[in-house]
Amino acid sequence: MYLETFGCQMNVLDSELAAGALRALGYRFVDDSNDAGVILYNTCSVRDHAEQKVRSRLGEMAVRKRREPSLVVGVLGCMAERDGQAIFHKSPVVDVLCGPSELDKLPALLDNAVRTRVSLVGDRLDNNHRCNAVIADRSAKVAALQGGASRRSATLSAAADHLELLDLSRAISPSDHNGSAYVRITRGCNKFYTYCVVPYTRGAETHRPPDHIVDECKRLADAGVLEITLLGQTVNHYRFEHGASVVVGGVTQPQKGRAIKPNMNSARHGAAARVTTFADLLKRVHDEVPAIKRLRFVTSYPRDFTDDALQVMRDSPRICRYLHAPAQSGSDAALTRMNRGYTVSEYMEFVDRARSFLDEPEKGRPLMLAGDIIVGFSGETEAEFHETLTLLERVRYKSCFIFKYSPRPGTAAFDRLPDDVPDEVKRRRNNEALALQHTISDEISQGFAGDVVHVFVEGVSAQERKRQASEQVQTGKYAAVTIGGDAVAGGAAPVGQGAARRVPINGSDGRVQMTGRTDGDMIVHFDAPAGLAPDDLVGRIVPVRIERASVLSLFGALA
Ligand code: 5AD
C-alpha cells in the first residue's frame, strides 16, 4: 500500500490516523508507489493547483492499470468530497472515494474494493469476456462521502460522531514519530469565507471532548513525543459544552466531566465550569502533560483571540510564542468581499494586543507571527493590493504564504463574484508581495545573529540528505535506513513527520548538518558534532548559537 498526502497539516494527521488503522489490520506501507498494489491519495481542494497534482497522478495510474488490472486506486480527503461520484466518470482508474469526514470507514471500503477487484480480474482472465468485466468494474467502485448530510451542531456532545473513533483509536508507538505530533481539537469550519471550500468538504465545526484531547496528548508524551501542535481550521474557536453525553461509534458515553479547575478563564462563565474554552484547554494540556516541552496550535482566527487565551500563553512557559493568524488581505473592502468578519484596524488591534502580551525578546522569547495572504481576489484593485503591502510592512510576519486567488466551485465567491483579476496581474502581485515579505523575513532572521536559541531537532537537513545521496552513489559510504513510510507532499508537514528519512553514519569530516526549529518556528541548521550519532539529537531540544542567517533559515553551532 502506498499513501501520498497533499495539502494541509490536517491532511497529514488524517493520513497518519488512516495509515495507523490500516496497519493494525495488517496492511503494509511502502515508499515507492511502484511496489504497491493499493495506491491512496489524500487530497486537498483549497486551490486548483493542489487538485491538478492529484489529477496528474491519476493519469499516471491509469496508464499503469492497463498493465496491472488488479491495481486499486483510492482518492481520499477533500477532492473526494468535492467532486463526489463524478470522479468515477472523470477518472475511471479510481476505485475508492472517501471524504475527510468518513475516514473511519476506509478500512471497510478498501477491503471491499480489494476483494472485488481481485475477483473481477479473476473473472476477466477466466472468461476473457471484456464486456462483462467492464460492467462489473463499475459496480466495484465504493465510496463514503458526507455529501449533503445536514451540518452537525457545534459541540460533539450533540453528534453521533463516528469519526471520533478514528482519533481515539490512534496507534501510538515510539518508533512512529520524531518527537513531534499533531493532535486534532476541532473538525470542520463554520466560517464560510466566500473563497474557501473547507466548510463544504470538511463539514460543520465540531469540538472534541477535552478529556479525549488531554488523554491523547498524555499517550503521545508517554511514547516520547515532546512537541504537540493542536489542529483546527479556526483552532482558537474551540469551545466544548459539557453535560450532554457523547455518542462515539453508536455507544452513548457520559462525559466523565473531569472537573475543570477554577481559574481566571472559567470564572468568566460563572456556573459554567460546564464550558471548556480554548484558553481552558491550552492550560489543561500545558499543566496536565508537563512532558510536552513545546505546545503550539494552528490556525488561529484573529477575531476570536481573547485575552484569556493570550494570558494562558504568557503564563505557560512550554506554550510556544508563535501564532499563525492569517489576515488574507490588507483592504477592508476586500475583507468584506471575503466575509472575513473583521477590519484591518481590528486585525492590527489583535496583532498589537498579542505582542503586548507575548513579545519578550529581552527574555529570548520574541513573539513570531506567520500569515497567509490571497492576492488577486475578485475585484481587487491596485489600491487594495497596495493596502495589503502596507499590512505586510506593519505586521512584519516572520513568514507569510502568498497565494493567487483560485476560484473554487461550490463557494459563494465562485457563484457570485467574478474572477476578474487577470492571471498576469495575479502573478505580478504575488511576486511583489513575495519580494516584500522576503525582505522582511530576511531582516527578522538577521536579528537573531549572535543569539543563543533553543532548537527542537527534527532530523538531518534536506541539504545534507542531498549531499549524502550523491556521495552515496559515488562511494557507498552511508547506510541508508528508511524510517517512517508515508510520503508527505505539500510542504506543510514538519520535517521528518511521516516522511522518509535517511540516517547517516557521520562522514569523514565528522559533520552532519541537522535541522530543527525554535519555539517561534524559525528554522535552524547546525552541525552535529563529530562522533555523535545524529539520531541521538533528533527529538531533543538543544542550545544553538546563531552565526549567520538567510531569509528562510538561521545557521549556527551547538552552544
Ligand atoms: N484561493 C487561493 N488561496 C486560498 N486559500 C484558501 N482558499 C483559497 C482560494 N480559493 C488560502 C488561504 C488560507 C490558506 C490555507 O489557503 O490563504 O489561509
Side-chain angles (χ1 to χ4, degrees):
M1 184 166 288
Y2 172 83
L3 170 63
E4 184 169 355
T5 305
F6 299 82
C8 62
Q9 288 109 317
M10 199 63 99
N11 266 11
V12 174
L13 175 60
D14 281 344
S15 286
E16 185 187 328
L17 297 181
L22 292 167
R23 270 197 204 97
L25 294 172
Y27 289 100
R28 195 171 56 83
F29 285 84
V30 294
D31 294 325
D32 184 343
S33 62
N34 291 310
D35 300 334
V38 178
I39 309 284
L40 302 176
Y41 298 116
N42 192 8
T43 61
C44 169
S45 289
V46 161
R47 284 170 294 278
D48 186 51
H49 183 63
E51 292 199 346
Q52 270 171 22
K53 279 196 251 172
V54 175
R55 282 184 216 117
S56 103
R57 295 283 198 284
L58 292 177
E60 291 161 22
M61 287 307 127
V63 173
R64 189 174 148 193
K65 202 163 183 167
R66 270 179 234 137
R67 296 193 311 267
E68 244 178 275
S70 64
L71 190 71
V72 170
V73 176
V75 173
L76 323 179
C78 289
M79 225 173 132
E81 193 64 54
R82 201 182 73 69
D83 277 6
Q85 312 255 357
I87 292 186
F88 289 143
H89 300 289
K90 281 191 267 181
S91 304
V93 66
V94 177
D95 303 293
V96 177
L97 282 182
C98 188
S101 307
E102 310 296 323
L103 282 171
D104 56 307
K105 304 193 179 76
L106 183 61
L109 288 179
L110 275 181
D111 187 58
N112 201 325
V114 171
R115 280 172 206 276
T116 324
R117 194 84 221 144
V118 167
S119 69
L120 281 177
V121 173
D123 282 354
R124 185 185 302 195
L125 294 178
D126 288 350
N127 306 336
N128 200 15
H129 198 307
R130 195 163 182 280
C131 185
N132 269 350
V134 170
I135 291 166
D137 209 75
R138 258 191 218 129
S139 64
K141 313 264 178 207
V142 288
L145 303 167
Q146 188 183 314
S150 63
R151 297 178 65 80
R152 288 171 283 175
S153 74
T155 295
L156 179 66
S157 54
D161 201 330
H162 51 88
L163 195 55
E164 178 64 12
L165 277 180
L166 190 65
D167 293 72
L168 279 180
S169 58
R170 180 174 195 168
I172 298 171
S173 93
S175 57
D176 279 351
H177 61 80
N178 64 341
S180 182
Y182 293 130
V183 171
R184 188 187 338 260
I185 68 169
T186 295
R187 300 191 179 85
C189 182
N190 285 349
K191 292 287 185 192
F192 290 96
Y193 311 129
T194 54
Y195 54 81
C196 188
V197 80
V198 169
Y200 308 96
T201 58
R202 288 194 177 266
E205 191 176 65
T206 57
H207 305 291
R208 296 186 63 206
D211 288 352
H212 292 191
I213 296 167
V214 172
D215 287 349
E216 190 172 328
C217 292
K218 282 185 184 160
R219 290 202 298 129
L220 286 162
D222 287 346
V225 165
L226 292 183
E227 178 182 68
I228 282 181
T229 305
L230 304 175
L231 296 185
Q233 305 294 339
T234 49
V235 71
N236 53 321
H237 207 231
Y238 179 86
R239 182 180 169 87
F240 188 83
E241 284 167 25
H242 295 255
S245 54
V246 178
V247 183
V248 175
V251 180
T252 305
Q253 306 183 332
Q255 257 298 285
K256 281 184 227 105
R258 192 176 295 178
I260 302 167
K261 284 182 213 123
N263 61 33
M264 66 210 174
N265 309 308
S266 34
R268 205 160 51 84
H269 300 288
R274 305 317 306 151
V275 170
T276 297
T277 63
F278 180 60
D280 296 330
L281 180 73
L282 277 183
K283 184 158 173 51
R284 274 196 64 181
V285 176
H286 178 269
D287 292 358
E288 294 180 35
V289 202
I292 297 302
K293 300 297 175 213
R294 281 194 177 169
L295 181 60
R296 339 173 162 270
F297 49 89
V298 289
T299 290
S300 296
Y301 174 63
R303 208 188 58 192
D304 292 338
F305 232 108
T306 52
D307 282 358
D308 52 7
L310 293 172
Q311 253 168 47
V312 169
M313 288 179 76
R314 184 177 59 195
D315 297 342
S316 307
R318 285 171 281 105
I319 300 184
C320 296
R321 298 289 168 100
Y322 169 77
L323 289 175
H324 179 227
Q328 308 298 0
S329 169
S331 148
D332 283 343
L335 288 171
T336 302
R337 292 197 299 277
M338 290 176 172
N339 190 32
R340 284 292 291 181
Y342 52 79
T343 60
V344 174
S345 72
E346 284 166 337
Y347 183 84
M348 287 312 301
E349 182 274 331
F350 152 74
V351 167
D352 293 342
R353 197 159 42 90
R355 286 208 164 113
S356 76
F357 271 94
L358 299 170
D359 191 30
E360 296 182 300
E362 65 292 346
K363 292 191 187 164
R365 302 201 72 196
L367 173 65
M368 304 311 275
L369 292 169
D372 296 345
I373 291 289
I374 299 175
V375 294
F377 183 61
S378 175
E380 186 185 70
T381 63
E382 207 57 29
E384 288 176 0
F385 170 65
H386 278 97
E387 289 182 280
T388 295
L389 296 182
T390 305
L391 179 112
L392 291 179
E393 280 165 348
R394 287 171 69 191
V395 177
R396 293 181 67 78
Y397 297 109
K398 69 115 185 152
S399 61
C400 186
F401 289 103
I402 318 277
F403 300 111
K404 289 185 293 173
Y405 171 53
S406 166
R408 308 310 296 137
T411 60
F414 187 88
D415 292 337
R416 295 207 293 267
L417 300 170
D419 178 24
D420 54 3
V421 178
D423 202 50
E424 65 272 15
V425 175
K426 285 183 186 169
R427 222 172 307 136
R428 184 205 11 104
R429 290 179 186 169
N430 191 49
N431 288 339
E432 272 183 49
L434 276 175
L436 172 60
Q437 182 56 46
H438 207 79
T439 309
I440 295 167
S441 296
D442 192 38
E443 286 165 6
I444 291 175
S445 291
Q446 301 301 337
F448 282 91
D451 290 358
V452 173
V453 296
H454 289 88
V455 177
F456 180 88
V457 186
E458 292 168 349
V460 171
S461 75
Q463 216 178 357
E464 179 74 38
R465 272 183 273 146
K466 250 185 256 159
R467 186 175 72 80
Q468 287 177 10
S470 70
E471 276 195 37
Q472 194 186 358
V473 171
Q474 289 160 22
T475 67
K477 181 160 66 173
Y478 292 89
V481 181
T482 303
I483 299 179
D486 315 329
V488 174
V495 175
Q497 185 142 19
R501 285 186 283 147
R502 283 184 189 284
V503 178
I505 297 163
N506 285 15
S508 52
D509 60 357
R511 283 163 194 263
V512 174
Q513 192 187 56
M514 307 297 292
T515 190
R517 284 167 205 253
T518 68
D519 112 329
D521 206 43
M522 298 294 294
I523 296 167
V524 180
H525 301 299
F526 66 97
D527 285 342
L532 188 66
D535 240 14
D536 289 347
L537 286 168
V538 174
R540 281 175 50 194
I541 296 174
V542 297
V544 173
R545 183 174 301 282
I546 301 305
E547 291 159 352
R548 64 190 174 85
S550 71
V551 179
L552 291 175
S553 335
L554 310 176
F555 296 85
L558 279 186

